[in-house]
């Protein structure tokens, strides 16, 4: 065996002697990075900074800039610098309106992007007494919709959701790690190979999706309302149905594909795949998009009144 290893080692010597060092360096280009997701709330928040070289995690904030938001051709306001990379504007977008972002930074070419504020997804809770449990609840989609996203924010059980009328996401709420559904238009790009709750020995009826469900576009070829179930930890939670602009939809899906590539354990080359995160910023990097949330509270108090 020792002689065989010696022969193999000698056999590789000519190959090694013919190799040359590979230059992995690349020319870094300084660009402005902007991130703004318009939401159906009173204040919009934008981050503005310079990008950074790979391997570095300190971003140089931009504090001197002219940042404006337009509804069509009408200016609706200028963002003011709050702290570090954060800029804010007191303005609530209007569903169906087209918005344009315009940024001027001294010494840098004009930066711009466009998006459309989406209409809310028309959704309501549906009670199926024989099938509804803390982890398995039904909903009805009332009409066709462009692609939208669904996720569950769980709340501490010491703070039970008592009303279904007015709810909001609180700072202490947590995104549930997994979610499943039998909705006919689920996009399975982030689906795992195990049924929900299999680790507890009580497998559900749908496969795990990591964090989010993407529901593909639904049209008039389907009879509405469409009733479907969601599986997640919903003993005390808010289910979010997030309408998405085209830009937000592409940004979310590409971001999750990129993130999931780094979680593959049995293929060390997966993280080197060229999964590019979507960007629509002209003259820079980042995203300008829009989303609008429909929040539905589900809890033991709401779903099983006495």
């Amino acid at each position: 065996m020792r002689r065989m290893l010696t022969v193999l080692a000698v056999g590789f010597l000519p190959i090694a002697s013919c190799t040359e060092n590979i230059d992995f360096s690349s020319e870094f280009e300084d660009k402005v990075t902007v991130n703004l997701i318009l939401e159906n709330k009173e204040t919009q928040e934008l981050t503005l900074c310079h990008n950074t070289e790979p391997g570095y995690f300190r971003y140089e904030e931009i504090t001197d800039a002219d940042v404006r938001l337009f509804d069509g051709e009408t200016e609706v306001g200028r963002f003011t610098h709050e702290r570090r990379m954060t800029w804010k504007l007191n303005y609530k977008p209007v569903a169906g309106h087209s918005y344009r972002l315009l940024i001027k930074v001294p010494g840098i070419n004009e930066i711009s992007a466009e998006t459309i504020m989406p209409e809310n997804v028309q959704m309501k809770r549906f009670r199926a007494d024989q099938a509804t449990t803390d982890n398995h609840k039904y909903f009805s989609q009332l009409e066709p919709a462009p692609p939208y996203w669904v996720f569950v924010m769980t709340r501490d059980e010491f703070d039970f959701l008592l009303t279904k009328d007015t709810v909001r996401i609180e700072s202490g709420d947590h995104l549930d790690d997994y979610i499943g559904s039998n909705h006919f238009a689920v996009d399975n790009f982030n689906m795992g190979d195990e049924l929900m709750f299999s680790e507890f020995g009580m497998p559900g009826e749908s496969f795990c999706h990591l964090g989010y469900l993407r529901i593909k576009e639904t049209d008039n070829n389907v009879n509405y309302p469409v009733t479907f179930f969601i599986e997640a930890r919903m003993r005390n939670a808010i289910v979010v149905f997030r309408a998405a602009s085209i830009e937000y939809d592409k940004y979310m899906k590409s971001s999750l594909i990129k993130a999931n590539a780094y979680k593959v354990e049995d293929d060390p080359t997966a993280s080197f795949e060229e999964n590019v995160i979507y960007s629509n910023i002209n003259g820079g990097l980042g995203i300008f998009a829009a989303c609008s949330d429909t929040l539905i509270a589900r809890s033991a108090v709401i779903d099983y009144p006495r």
Side-chain angles (χ1 to χ4, degrees):
M1 177 62 72
R2 180 177 299 175
R3 182 175 181 278
M4 182 180 296
L5 291 175
T6 302
V7 171
L8 288 174
V10 172
F12 279 117
L13 284 176
I15 299 176
S17 64
C18 295
T19 62
E20 59 183 62
N21 293 331
I22 299 175
D23 182 9
F24 289 101
S25 64
S26 60
E27 185 177 350
F28 173 72
E29 183 181 358
D30 182 20
K31 291 185 178 182
V32 172
T33 300
V34 55
N35 286 277
L36 172 59
I37 307 296
L38 297 179
E39 300 181 63
N40 57 340
K41 59 184 185 181
E42 302 296 332
T43 301
Q44 309 305 312
E45 187 171 305
L46 172 148
T47 60
L48 190 63
C49 63
H50 292 277
N51 63 333
T52 189
E53 296 187 56
Y56 291 85
F57 300 97
R58 291 183 63 86
Y59 296 88
E60 180 186 351
E61 62 262 29
I62 296 174
T63 58
D64 182 15
D66 182 8
V67 185
R68 307 187 189 199
L69 182 66
F70 294 83
D71 180 345
E73 297 301 318
T74 304
E75 181 180 322
V76 297
R78 297 188 184 187
F79 283 82
T80 57
H81 181 247
E82 292 281 319
R83 65 187 184 281
R84 299 191 67 243
M85 296 182 289
T86 303
W87 297 62
K88 290 187 178 181
L89 170 65
N90 293 325
Y91 175 75
K92 186 174 183 179
V94 181
H97 285 212
S98 298
Y99 288 93
R100 179 167 58 95
L101 180 66
L102 184 63
I103 302 175
K104 295 180 180 179
V105 178
I108 298 177
N109 292 335
E110 185 175 277
I111 298 164
S112 64
E114 297 181 355
T115 193
I116 298 175
M117 189 67 185
E119 304 278 352
N120 276 33
V121 180
Q122 297 302 305
M123 195 73 59
K124 70 176 184 179
R125 66 175 46 79
F126 182 87
R127 286 193 61 191
D129 293 333
Q130 300 302 317
T132 296
T133 68
D134 288 341
N135 300 324
H136 186 111
K137 298 183 186 294
Y138 283 82
F139 301 84
S140 288
Q141 180 179 331
L142 305 182
E143 60 184 40
Y148 63 91
W149 294 77
V150 188
F151 54 97
V152 173
M153 301 297 294
T154 61
R155 183 167 296 183
D156 193 300
E157 292 193 8
F158 292 104
D159 183 19
F160 253 108
L161 291 159
L162 302 176
T163 176
K164 59 186 178 181
D165 298 324
T166 303
V167 294
R168 64 180 182 180
I169 305 297
E170 302 288 353
S171 59
D173 296 342
H174 299 283
L175 174 68
D176 202 2
D177 293 334
Y178 298 101
I179 184 172
S181 179
N182 70 335
H183 194 295
F184 74 93
V186 170
D187 183 346
N188 291 322
F189 79 96
N190 61 336
M191 185 180 74
D193 55 5
E194 292 187 357
L195 290 172
M196 290 289 295
F197 309 112
S198 293
E199 69 271 28
F200 302 116
M202 297 180 293
E205 298 180 33
S206 60
F207 283 93
C208 293
H209 291 71
L210 190 60
Y212 300 85
L213 293 173
R214 179 181 182 267
I215 307 299
K216 295 178 287 187
E217 181 175 6
T218 53
D219 55 30
N220 287 310
N221 293 324
V222 179
N223 293 323
Y224 294 90
V226 172
T227 299
F228 60 97
F229 67 74
I230 288 177
E231 290 186 313
R233 294 182 299 170
M234 292 177 286
R235 178 172 172 78
N236 192 44
I238 296 174
V239 184
V240 182
F241 296 90
R242 175 163 290 179
S245 67
I246 294 174
E247 297 79 15
Y248 184 91
D249 184 52
K250 292 180 178 179
Y251 175 69
M252 274 290 291
K253 185 170 181 177
S254 62
S255 296
L256 289 173
I257 290 174
K258 182 78 170 182
N260 290 342
Y262 289 91
K263 295 184 178 182
V264 178
E265 297 179 355
D266 56 355
D267 181 6
T269 66
S271 60
F272 297 103
E273 294 294 327
E274 192 62 27
N275 296 312
V276 178
I277 296 178
Y278 173 80
S279 172
N280 66 330
I281 304 298
N282 299 314
L285 300 173
I287 186 68
F288 175 50
C291 66
S292 187
D293 293 343
T294 297
L295 307 180
I296 297 182
R298 306 299 299 252
S299 74
V301 175
I302 294 172
D303 291 330
Y304 313 114
R306 295 183 179 180

